[in-house]
Amino acid sequence: MDDLNPGIITEPRKKIKGYLLSWIIAFVITGAIFGIIILIQTGGKGYTWDTKPSTYLILINAFTISAVIMILMWLLVIVSNNGVFDMIGYSVKLVWTVTFHRNVRDTKLPRTFAEYREIKRGKPRVNSSYLLLAAAPYLLTGLILMIPYYTKFR
């Protein structure tokens, strides 16, 4: 049966591979943000890592801020998928078309914003939950590190 319609089996696998790849990339980007935050807070050199309060605070900040940035990116994707920026996109395309084409109606640009909005709504939405899944371990680690910080140093 696979020979007759191989798309039935391979399509879910492609989606899973794409989702896992997206999650890995988001996790690595969150780790890069984590590293940049540590470098900024420690000055990049001459910092000794021990159990003083500033070390806990640096780690808590790096873990939680990197996770919050990815969660905010997820929220931006959700808002964008719901059409908040459609007016800006249509306006920019219209200005570009008017500037560089002789006749606007000879292009593929829809006549009205309502048509443009319907075309955008007809496109499939992107599943962006991998951004939340990439941020979750960082946020959880930052929250767990807060426990010894507030019990030992406060």
Side-chain angles (χ1 to χ4, degrees):
M1 193 114 194
D2 291 337
D3 295 333
L4 297 176
N5 196 353
I8 293 174
I9 301 295
T10 59
E11 190 64 32
R13 287 183 186 164
K14 286 181 181 179
K15 286 184 180 181
I16 291 171
K17 281 183 180 180
Y19 189 83
L20 286 176
L21 183 63
S22 299
W23 179 80
I24 290 169
I25 291 170
F27 192 80
V28 168
I29 290 172
T30 310
I33 294 169
F34 169 81
I36 290 170
I37 292 170
I38 285 183
L39 285 176
I40 289 171
Q41 288 187 345
T42 60
K45 55 185 174 186
Y47 186 82
T48 58
W49 291 92
D50 53 4
T51 58
K52 56 187 177 181
S54 61
T55 301
Y56 274 105
L57 196 58
I58 288 171
L59 289 174
I60 289 167
N61 286 341
F63 277 114
T64 56
I65 290 172
S66 61
V68 167
I69 288 173
M70 290 309 279
I71 290 169
L72 290 174
M73 290 296 293
W74 173 74
L75 288 173
L76 184 65
V77 169
I78 294 296
V79 167
S80 177
N81 280 343
N82 287 328
V84 171
F85 303 115
D86 284 349
M87 179 65 82
I88 296 171
Y90 182 73
S91 300
V92 168
K93 287 181 182 183
L94 185 62
V95 168
W96 180 267
T97 304
V98 167
T99 305
F100 295 108
H101 294 281
R102 289 185 180 196
N103 190 358
V104 177
R105 299 302 159 212
D106 290 341
T107 63
K108 294 180 181 179
L109 189 68
R111 289 188 164 278
T112 65
F113 174 69
E115 290 176 10
Y116 179 78
R117 177 97 176 171
E118 287 301 318
I119 291 170
K120 292 294 259 186
R121 283 186 183 175
K123 292 183 180 179
R125 303 282 184 214
V126 176
N127 184 5
S128 60
S129 63
Y130 58 87
L131 293 171
L132 281 179
L133 291 176
Y138 288 92
L139 186 62
L140 187 63
T141 305
L143 294 176
I144 289 172
L145 283 175
M146 280 187 191
I147 296 169
Y149 177 74
Y150 281 109
T151 58
K152 185 175 182 181
F153 299 114
R154 293 277 170 165

